[in-house]
Amino acid sequence: MDIITDILRAKRDNESVSRDSLYKFALGIADGTVTDYQASAFLMAAYINGLNPEETLALTMAMRDSGTIVEWDKSLSPLADKHSTGGVGDKMSIILAPLAASIGIKVPMISGRGLGHTGGTLDKLESIPGFNVNLTIDQFKSQIADIGVCMIGQTDELAPADKVLYSLRDATSTVTSIQLICASILSKKLAENPDILVFDVKCGTGAFMQTMEGASELAGALVQISTMSGKKASALITAMNHPIGLTAGNTLEIQESLDILRNRGPADATELTIALVAEMAFHAGIQNGEVLCRNNLANGKAMDIFVKMVEAQGGDIAAFEALPLAPVIMDVRASRTGYWCGPDALVVGQAVRKLGGGRYRVDDVINPLVGWQQELPCGSPVESGTRLGSVHAATKEDAEQALSVIAESFKWDAPSDPLIFQEIRV
Amino acid sequence: MDIITDILRAKRDNESVSRDSLYKFALGIADGTVTDYQASAFLMAAYINGLNPEETLALTMAMRDSGTIVEWDKSLSPLADKHSTGGVGDKMSIILAPLAASIGIKVPMISGRGLGHTGGTLDKLESIPGFNVNLTIDQFKSQIADIGVCMIGQTDELAPADKVLYSLRDATSTVTSIQLICASILSKKLAENPDILVFDVKCGTGAFMQTMEGASELAGALVQISTMSGKKASALITAMNHPIGLTAGNTLEIQESLDILRNRGPADATELTIALVAEMAFHAGIQNGEVLCRNNLANGKAMDIFVKMVEAQGGDIAAFEALPLAPVIMDVRASRTGYWCGPDALVVGQAVRKLGGGRYRVDDVINPLVGWQQELPCGSPVESGTRLGSVHAATKEDAEQALSVIAESFKWDAPSDPLIFQEIRV
């Protein structure tokens, strides 16, 4: 029996596979010497029987090694990146990157587009007229050296094996495996090659993980495999039963990000961003990271870096702030008196996608103006008739439909989630 | 989610899949509209989580329907076939087919070649000079109408999907699944389309199934799925810790088959063949099948039909009986006094293969003359120095090597296996 079929047999029978064998196998998947049908059989066996940490690490490293690994000059350390598992209203990256840079942590960030009902950082950034997310790796490195922060899209140079495996996983119903997700996320992050990785694992109705059990398992795997690969890493498990912040939709979220960078944004989104940067600061050995963050939001330093980044990447903030509102803005008001606990995250995400703020097919064009704008934070005491929020839509019909499902999902008089459920360090 | 990925998800999560969905999926595997990598992911999930009987049936029927189904004139009924899961010295088919025909049961038999350490009926038949196993389906049908028995090799017309799936299973370590084995065997047998199917599921060191648990599971699945598909079916689980009969090797086994057909063969091989034909007779509603068989071995009717079949397929029995012996024949004698319980089936099978009686690669050429010839049946009381058997080999070195491993596997003074462990009917 050759090495490939022996690995498949072992994984099929839930035996562990040696690091060397699996690394060879994974490199073979990456370079195409292992056939698609053998890779798929492996993915299914790995999905059902799981991969142990050494196996997950070997798969991750081999996927990383399928492409370029970004090399950073030592003088640039500490370099850090954050990865979120995706939520509704999750604009943290846009604030976090310049905020971290403002306290001395370089953030070379490679982000994604909207997926399903969750928005994508690239789509949000592109609502700033002129903002270019398609830089070369050399431009990326040079901007990090110049201003300490750069936000771009995935390139074919980094971890190309992930693209192959992801398309096989999609076609073989093996997407939702903790270890395969972990290998997919980390292969790209390890190719990006910062010193520190912080994970925001969302948990709730609008998250990929809907239970604490699943979120803990994914967070634990991300931190463990990152650490085994030589990175400093931690994860926060954070609430995603309601949208984070007050907005969901591309332009609305950039506007809210600017509010936060100007120190006048909603508390939950501000605090979560600070908590994530504080994790980076902890790993970087920077004392009082949280205090430094608050100061740099108050004194404008974080905003200054954001402006520099936008300019360096061709964006025009003045043009952004002059953008029109969506054609139709329709309010929703409280039907009763009580503690209003906000709309459901999944419902809002789906509604915004349907309004045109997300995609159903990869070539769908996004309408950046549409979305959900909340007037009050979740947990606010309100009287009947209080304005709770509004839908921004292209047409009256769209707005009515979105408002109806969002309003139906409102929760009342329920205890609210903590912002952060759990912090996971090795 | 489309139907294909939904089936993969369900099988991944150990949920059952509807008959219609699975039938469409299996037809898609068969006709190539389901990709190889999706088929492989399915095979791995089916291996690990199993298929329920309805799923196994749907897969089997779709594989059958990927090619021609042989249609028989009703006047030819009862038609029956036997399938053995493979053993050492297993020449039952060669005797069984004409014996069954002699009691009025037509036997359209499609056989295989040697696989691993087990011999193949086609290889044995081809040691008869001129014997042609490559008939068309029309010639096959016409010979069944004429003399009631025909033995040929697998054709590309019948169940071509099995060939595709088998090669994927081989490359993805998903061969040894009870349900996938069952679907593979039955898709071909259902395309051959007899009224009655009898299975000889071997159990022991020289068998595919080494435990009663495994053998029972496979036998149960074969009978259940055959019955669900509308066939009359039963299975015998029979012993394979020692070779069946006194010979292993192509020419030697044909010679032994002639002995049995002339009613002077060893008891175990004779009784097992009669038991298998009696199963067919039971399903065909033929009374006293066992007695009829004994009569037709004694009165030469079975032998007459065998001779007719050989002649119809171009073979020359006189030329066969004039074949030379192998160049080297080396005896082994008892090293002690006691009850000699014979050699191990797997050891004999491997030794005969190594002598040149089997293949390691698909294009290896077989030496029909080599093999193992046992002098006494297992369980015989012997004195030290009694001749127990001989190896027939091409060279002295080959003979010495084979004798040494076979002699080392001899068992002494142990209770012997029953011939038939269990009979399984619905």
Side-chain angles (χ1 to χ4, degrees):
Chain A
M1 197 177 268
D2 72 344
I3 185 171
I4 306 301
T5 50
D6 197 44
I7 288 166
L8 290 172
R9 185 205 56 71
K11 197 32 66 192
R12 177 196 85 188
D13 294 343
N14 206 8
E15 295 169 8
S16 64
V17 180
S18 81
R19 184 178 163 156
D20 277 4
S21 294
L22 193 72
Y23 192 81
K24 269 178 215 157
F25 185 64
L27 269 190
I29 294 176
D31 70 17
T33 54
V34 170
T35 61
D36 278 0
Y37 51 85
Q38 288 176 319
S40 295
F42 174 81
L43 291 170
M44 185 57 87
Y47 186 102
I48 297 174
N49 287 329
L51 295 173
N52 69 31
E54 288 70 27
E55 293 169 334
T56 308
L57 179 66
L59 181 63
T60 305
M61 297 301 257
M63 285 164 72
R64 178 198 70 172
D65 293 349
S66 68
T68 303
I69 300 170
V70 183
E71 294 297 337
W72 299 102
D73 193 288
K74 279 204 171 144
S75 67
L76 294 174
S77 286
L79 292 135
D81 193 10
K82 182 223 55 158
H83 178 85
S84 159
T85 59
V88 177
D90 183 6
K91 68 283 293 174
M92 272 65 251
S93 291
I94 296 158
I95 312 141
L96 170 142
L99 182 57
S102 78
I103 69 166
I105 299 168
K106 315 280 187 307
V107 182
M109 189 178 272
I110 299 178
S111 300
R113 299 205 173 268
L115 186 69
H117 69 278
T118 65
T121 298
L122 299 182
D123 295 328
K124 294 171 195 174
L125 287 171
E126 285 180 347
S127 69
I128 302 172
F131 197 100
N132 177 19
V133 299
N134 301 309
L135 306 189
T136 64
I137 294 295
D138 281 341
Q139 290 170 320
F140 182 57
K141 289 173 71 169
S142 147
Q143 185 173 322
I144 289 296
D146 288 350
I147 56 178
V149 59
C150 189
M151 300 179 81
I152 64 170
Q154 174 66 10
T155 86
D156 288 344
E157 291 167 74
L158 303 185
D162 178 59
K163 212 171 181 177
V164 177
L165 281 179
Y166 192 86
S167 73
L168 285 178
R169 282 167 62 208
D170 198 40
T172 58
S173 292
T174 53
V175 169
T176 55
S177 144
I178 296 283
Q179 293 95 22
L180 296 177
I181 291 167
C182 184
S184 174
I185 292 171
L186 290 184
S187 63
K188 290 175 284 194
K189 290 295 169 195
L190 296 183
E192 185 190 286
N193 202 17
D195 309 308
I196 299 160
L197 286 169
V198 172
F199 301 98
D200 181 3
V201 177
K202 304 287 190 195
C203 177
T205 60
F208 176 63
M209 288 299 172
Q210 277 150 41
T211 64
M212 268 304 287
E213 196 188 351
S216 286
E217 203 187 336
L218 179 54
L222 288 167
V223 172
Q224 182 181 24
I225 305 302
S226 299
T227 306
M228 286 167 80
S229 79
K231 302 298 179 194
K232 292 173 177 170
S234 50
L236 301 183
I237 300 178
T238 69
M240 189 35 69
N241 288 309
H242 310 295
I244 178 90
L246 296 173
T247 60
N250 296 286
T251 305
L252 292 171
E253 289 191 51
I254 292 290
Q255 190 58 60
E256 186 176 19
S257 300
L258 293 173
D259 287 346
I260 296 168
L261 285 164
R262 285 165 177 148
N263 209 25
R264 58 186 196 210
D268 63 343
T270 305
E271 292 305 315
L272 177 54
T273 309
I274 291 174
L276 291 164
V277 178
E279 284 296 318
M280 293 178 169
F282 164 79
H283 290 297
I286 296 172
Q287 303 295 314
N288 301 317
E290 194 179 319
V291 175
L292 296 175
C293 285
R294 291 189 201 286
N295 289 346
N296 289 352
L297 288 175
N299 62 25
K301 282 191 183 168
M303 181 64 186
D304 286 349
I305 294 177
F306 180 75
V307 171
K308 276 187 195 157
M309 176 184 77
V310 171
E311 285 171 356
Q313 296 190 233
D316 183 339
I317 290 181
F320 171 79
E321 301 208 273
L323 285 176
L325 293 174
V328 179
I329 296 177
M330 196 176 285
D331 289 345
V332 60
R333 290 176 184 277
S335 58
R336 48 170 287 188
T337 296
Y339 280 89
W340 181 62
C341 305
D344 179 78
L346 176 61
V347 170
V348 171
Q350 288 171 333
V352 172
R353 186 188 193 187
K354 202 165 181 192
L355 285 168
R359 294 182 190 81
Y360 292 91
R361 299 167 49 100
V362 76
D363 54 356
D364 284 348
V365 176
I366 277 181
N367 181 344
L369 300 179
V370 301
W372 162 249
Q373 166 84 58
Q374 207 163 299
E375 205 59 35
L376 297 169
C378 300
S380 300
V382 299
E383 291 189 5
S384 183
T386 307
R387 193 157 68 94
L388 299 175
S390 52
V391 162
H392 294 224
T395 68
K396 191 160 166 283
E397 292 68 37
D398 284 0
E400 279 168 353
Q401 197 171 37
L403 258 196
S404 131
V405 295
I406 290 173
E408 207 173 309
S409 81
F410 286 165
K411 271 203 185 145
W412 291 89
D413 301 329
S416 54
D417 291 331
L419 185 64
I420 297 169
F421 289 121
Q422 203 181 328
E423 179 192 54
I424 293 177
R425 292 180 182 164
V426 173
Chain B
M1 196 178 269
D2 71 346
I3 186 172
I4 306 300
T5 50
D6 197 44
I7 289 167
L8 290 173
R9 186 206 55 72
K11 199 27 69 190
R12 177 197 84 189
D13 294 343
N14 206 8
E15 295 168 8
S16 64
V17 180
S18 81
R19 186 177 162 155
D20 278 3
S21 294
L22 194 73
Y23 192 81
K24 270 178 216 158
F25 185 64
L27 269 191
I29 293 177
D31 70 18
T33 54
V34 170
T35 61
D36 278 0
Y37 51 86
Q38 288 175 320
S40 295
F42 174 82
L43 291 170
M44 184 57 85
Y47 187 103
I48 297 174
N49 288 329
L51 296 174
N52 69 30
E54 288 71 27
E55 293 170 333
T56 307
L57 179 66
L59 181 63
T60 305
M61 298 301 257
M63 285 164 70
R64 178 198 70 172
D65 293 347
S66 69
T68 303
I69 300 170
V70 183
E71 294 298 338
W72 299 101
D73 194 287
K74 278 202 173 150
S75 68
L76 295 175
S77 286
L79 291 136
D81 192 11
K82 183 222 54 157
H83 178 84
S84 158
T85 59
V88 177
D90 182 6
K91 69 282 295 174
M92 270 66 251
S93 291
I94 296 158
I95 311 140
L96 169 143
L99 182 58
S102 79
I103 69 166
I105 299 167
K106 313 281 187 306
V107 183
M109 189 177 273
I110 299 180
S111 301
R113 299 206 172 266
L115 187 69
H117 69 276
T118 64
T121 297
L122 299 183
D123 296 326
K124 294 170 195 173
L125 287 170
E126 285 181 347
S127 69
I128 302 171
F131 197 100
N132 178 17
V133 298
N134 301 309
L135 306 189
T136 64
I137 294 294
D138 281 343
Q139 290 171 319
F140 181 58
K141 289 173 71 169
S142 147
Q143 185 173 321
I144 290 294
D146 288 349
I147 57 179
V149 59
C150 189
M151 300 178 80
I152 64 169
Q154 173 66 10
T155 88
D156 289 343
E157 290 167 76
L158 303 184
D162 178 59
K163 214 171 180 176
V164 177
L165 281 179
Y166 191 86
S167 72
L168 285 179
R169 283 167 62 207
D170 198 41
T172 58
S173 292
T174 53
V175 169
T176 55
S177 143
I178 295 284
Q179 294 97 21
L180 296 177
I181 290 167
C182 184
S184 174
I185 292 171
L186 291 184
S187 63
K188 289 175 285 193
K189 291 295 168 196
L190 296 183
E192 186 191 284
N193 202 16
D195 309 307
I196 298 160
L197 286 169
V198 172
F199 302 98
D200 181 4
V201 176
K202 303 287 190 193
C203 179
T205 60
F208 177 63
M209 288 299 173
Q210 276 150 41
T211 64
M212 268 304 285
E213 196 188 351
S216 287
E217 202 187 338
L218 178 55
L222 287 166
V223 171
Q224 182 181 23
I225 305 302
S226 299
T227 306
M228 286 168 79
S229 79
K231 301 299 178 192
K232 293 174 177 170
S234 50
L236 301 182
I237 300 178
T238 69
M240 190 35 69
N241 288 309
H242 310 296
I244 179 90
L246 296 173
T247 60
N250 296 287
T251 305
L252 292 171
E253 290 190 50
I254 291 291
Q255 190 58 60
E256 186 176 18
S257 300
L258 293 173
D259 288 347
I260 296 167
L261 285 163
R262 284 165 178 147
N263 207 25
R264 59 187 194 208
D268 63 343
T270 306
E271 292 305 316
L272 177 54
T273 308
I274 291 173
L276 291 164
V277 178
E279 284 295 318
M280 293 178 170
F282 165 80
H283 291 297
I286 296 172
Q287 303 294 315
N288 301 319
E290 194 180 319
V291 175
L292 295 175
C293 285
R294 289 187 202 288
N295 289 346
N296 288 353
L297 287 175
N299 63 25
K301 282 192 182 167
M303 182 65 186
D304 287 348
I305 293 178
F306 180 76
V307 170
K308 276 188 196 155
M309 175 183 79
V310 171
E311 284 170 358
Q313 295 191 233
D316 183 339
I317 291 182
F320 171 80
E321 303 208 272
L323 284 177
L325 293 173
V328 179
I329 296 175
M330 196 176 286
D331 289 347
V332 59
R333 290 175 183 277
S335 58
R336 47 171 285 188
T337 296
Y339 279 89
W340 181 62
C341 304
D344 178 79
L346 177 60
V347 170
V348 171
Q350 287 171 332
V352 172
R353 186 187 194 189
K354 200 164 181 193
L355 285 167
R359 295 181 190 80
Y360 291 92
R361 300 165 51 99
V362 76
D363 54 355
D364 284 347
V365 176
I366 277 181
N367 181 344
L369 301 178
V370 301
W372 163 248
Q373 166 83 59
Q374 207 163 299
E375 204 59 35
L376 297 168
C378 299
S380 300
V382 300
E383 292 190 5
S384 182
T386 307
R387 195 155 68 95
L388 299 176
S390 53
V391 162
H392 293 224
T395 68
K396 191 162 165 281
E397 291 68 36
D398 283 0
E400 279 168 353
Q401 197 171 37
L403 260 197
S404 131
V405 293
I406 290 172
E408 207 173 311
S409 81
F410 287 166
K411 270 203 185 145
W412 291 88
D413 301 329
S416 54
D417 290 331
L419 185 62
I420 297 170
F421 289 120
Q422 203 181 328
E423 179 190 53
I424 293 179
R425 291 180 182 163
V426 173

